[in-house]
Amino acid sequence: MTKLKQYLFRYQGHVGAALILGGVDVTGPHLFTIHPHGSTDKLPYVTMGSGSLNAMSVFESSWRPNLTRDEAVEMVKDAIEAGIFNDLGSGSNVDVCVITKGNVEYIRGHSQPNERVAKEQSYRFAAGTTEFIGSKPGAQAGGAAAMDVSA
């Protein structure tokens, strides 16, 4: 981690990497945030990205020591969904990675709370359905130009 911190610090945020790093060693589980300018935090729960404030509110109200695996996965899902629903840049699905001593489990598509659906109707309009009511200032009198963008 030190090498990564030094690299990011050298470029002072010009390398766009905001990371969450987790793992287990002989002293137990660890969770870090690594900011683009190279600073780090070691905390029991962390968030990064545009929806991080929404996710952090879920962690602050729900986290407690010694959560079960299922409780922790559900809390992380709720935190990510808070980001999804309250921030336009946070995507639309929840992927979870559970790291335990000797095992890494990737749960892709754990939740898809904002799944895309088919449009309810067509939004294509026939040429000529919008009335032309005037010309732009400075345009030649009596002349108009239009372009059909429905194709």
Side-chain angles (χ1 to χ4, degrees):
M1 184 169 71
T2 302
K3 206 171 192 181
L4 181 59
K5 286 172 54 171
Q6 289 172 346
Y7 181 83
L8 292 173
F9 182 77
R10 183 177 339 133
Y11 290 96
Q12 291 294 299
H14 294 285
V15 174
L19 308 170
I20 295 176
L21 176 66
V24 180
D25 66 12
V26 294
T27 63
H30 304 282
L31 194 57
F32 299 90
T33 56
I34 305 171
H35 299 273
H37 55 273
S39 69
T40 60
D41 295 315
K42 182 183 185 305
L43 299 164
Y45 52 86
V46 296
T47 63
M48 288 293 252
S50 61
S52 66
L53 294 177
N54 301 303
M56 184 58 79
S57 69
V58 172
F59 285 149
E60 288 176 343
S61 64
S62 303
W63 184 87
R64 65 182 193 287
N66 303 315
L67 289 165
T68 67
R69 178 201 177 280
D70 291 339
E71 289 172 332
V73 168
E74 185 67 19
M75 183 182 63
V76 167
K77 177 192 74 78
D78 292 344
I80 294 171
E81 285 181 356
I84 289 170
F85 289 126
N86 295 295
D87 176 72
L88 294 176
S90 289
S92 61
N93 65 313
V94 178
D95 295 334
V96 178
C97 178
V98 179
I99 303 171
T100 56
K101 186 176 181 178
N103 189 39
V104 177
E105 178 186 3
Y106 297 101
I107 308 169
R108 300 280 300 172
H110 176 67
S111 174
Q112 295 179 332
N114 214 6
E115 203 166 342
R116 288 183 172 246
V117 296
K119 292 181 180 176
E120 294 179 9
Q121 62 185 12
S122 172
Y123 294 98
R124 294 196 177 264
F125 301 98
T129 58
T130 303
E131 181 182 353
F132 178 76
I133 56 174
S135 61
K136 292 182 181 179
Q140 291 180 340
M147 180 173 34
D148 182 7
V149 294
S150 63

